[in-house]
Amino acid sequence: MLLAALSLDPRDLLESFGPWATIGLFLIIFAETGLLIGFFLPGDSLLFAAGILASQGNLNIAVIALGCFLAAVIGDQVGYTIGRRAGPPLFRRPDSRIFKQKYVDRTKEFFEKHGPKTVLLARFVPIVLTFAPVLAGVGEMRRRTFTTYNVVGGFIWGVGVTVAGYMLGEVIGANSVDKYLLPIIAVIIVLSILPPVIEALRERRRNRSAAALSPADAEAEAAELHRAVSED
């Protein structure tokens, strides 16, 4: 199971849970959306792989679609609460092996460009997916607005991607799943990381000093984020 988690191959990851694959799937989705340490976990590809496995009868499509939706929505709500409680100090948190300030910067740029819709759009963007709800909380987005985008995004992502995998599995058939699964997942991964790569090439992020921001600077960052998330 440990090796499967390190490889992050969606199918190996699910199969490593054995009879607890459904519960493991829900926990992974929750961790990726609700906990800052979950940013490295596979998202789109895991949901898609789960849908394909369901088409083979290994998982129940109705159960995993509903469960992934709930795990995604609850995870984002937890992330939002963490952001509300963490506040501006999040911008001064030092880099570690897991946490990097560049992840916060990238997500903040999405909010500045897309406003509250970032909560929905972030579902399909690695890393931003994990940090968007937290920064929405830091920026004090209205909970009602956040919850609306969270539920809509959670449904499109948690149910839509899973059902898409199931439908494709039905089309290609059980005998061809092993042949096409890895190439399909590879394409999904590439497509999911393409937007941030293009964004990085078009707009170079301003360089930030290695030193931590002062409390005043952190408050200014949070105020700027608040304006971004409060836009209609």
Side-chain angles (χ1 to χ4, degrees), residues 90-120:
L90 182 67
F91 291 102
R92 297 188 289 114
R93 182 174 174 178
D95 283 352
S96 65
R97 289 186 177 181
I98 295 178
F99 179 87
K100 304 293 182 183
Q101 273 296 328
K102 65 182 180 180
Y103 302 154
V104 176
D105 298 340
R106 182 185 303 175
T107 307
K108 182 171 176 288
E109 288 180 1
F110 265 78
F111 272 111
E112 292 172 347
K113 183 174 182 179
H114 302 290
K117 291 191 295 294
T118 296
V119 176
L120 189 159

Side-chain angles (χ1 to χ4, degrees), residues 66-232:
L66 177 60
C68 288
F69 166 66
L70 293 176
V73 171
I74 295 172
D76 262 26
Q77 292 296 142
V78 171
Y80 175 86
T81 301
I82 291 174
R84 288 294 290 261
R85 294 184 177 180
L90 182 67
F91 291 102
R92 297 188 289 114
R93 182 174 174 178
D95 283 352
S96 65
R97 289 186 177 181
I98 295 178
F99 179 87
K100 304 293 182 183
Q101 273 296 328
K102 65 182 180 180
Y103 302 154
V104 176
D105 298 340
R106 182 185 303 175
T107 307
K108 182 171 176 288
E109 288 180 1
F110 265 78
F111 272 111
E112 292 172 347
K113 183 174 182 179
H114 302 290
K117 291 191 295 294
T118 296
V119 176
L120 189 159
L121 300 175
R123 293 287 186 183
F124 301 92
V125 183
I127 297 179
V128 177
L129 162 68
T130 302
F131 285 84
V134 178
L135 288 199
V138 173
E140 298 183 346
M141 178 187 292
R142 287 179 297 179
R143 187 177 289 274
R144 188 174 186 179
T145 300
F146 174 83
T147 301
T148 299
Y149 282 108
N150 179 21
V151 171
V152 174
F155 181 82
I156 295 174
W157 187 67
V159 177
V161 176
T162 304
V163 172
Y166 178 83
M167 294 175 64
L168 180 61
E170 289 280 281
V171 171
I172 62 179
N175 294 331
S176 300
V177 165
D178 289 336
K179 178 180 179 181
Y180 294 107
L181 181 58
L182 288 180
I184 290 172
I185 289 176
V187 170
I188 292 174
I189 293 174
V190 170
L191 290 177
S192 65
I193 66 175
L194 198 56
V197 170
I198 294 176
E199 190 70 19
L201 292 175
R202 289 180 176 176
E203 299 179 19
R204 289 180 176 275
R205 295 191 301 271
R206 60 181 180 277
N207 293 325
R208 294 183 179 274
S209 61
L213 294 177
S214 68
D217 290 336
E219 290 286 351
E221 291 280 0
E224 183 179 352
L225 183 61
H226 176 67
R227 288 193 294 271
V229 302
S230 299
E231 295 175 358
D232 294 328

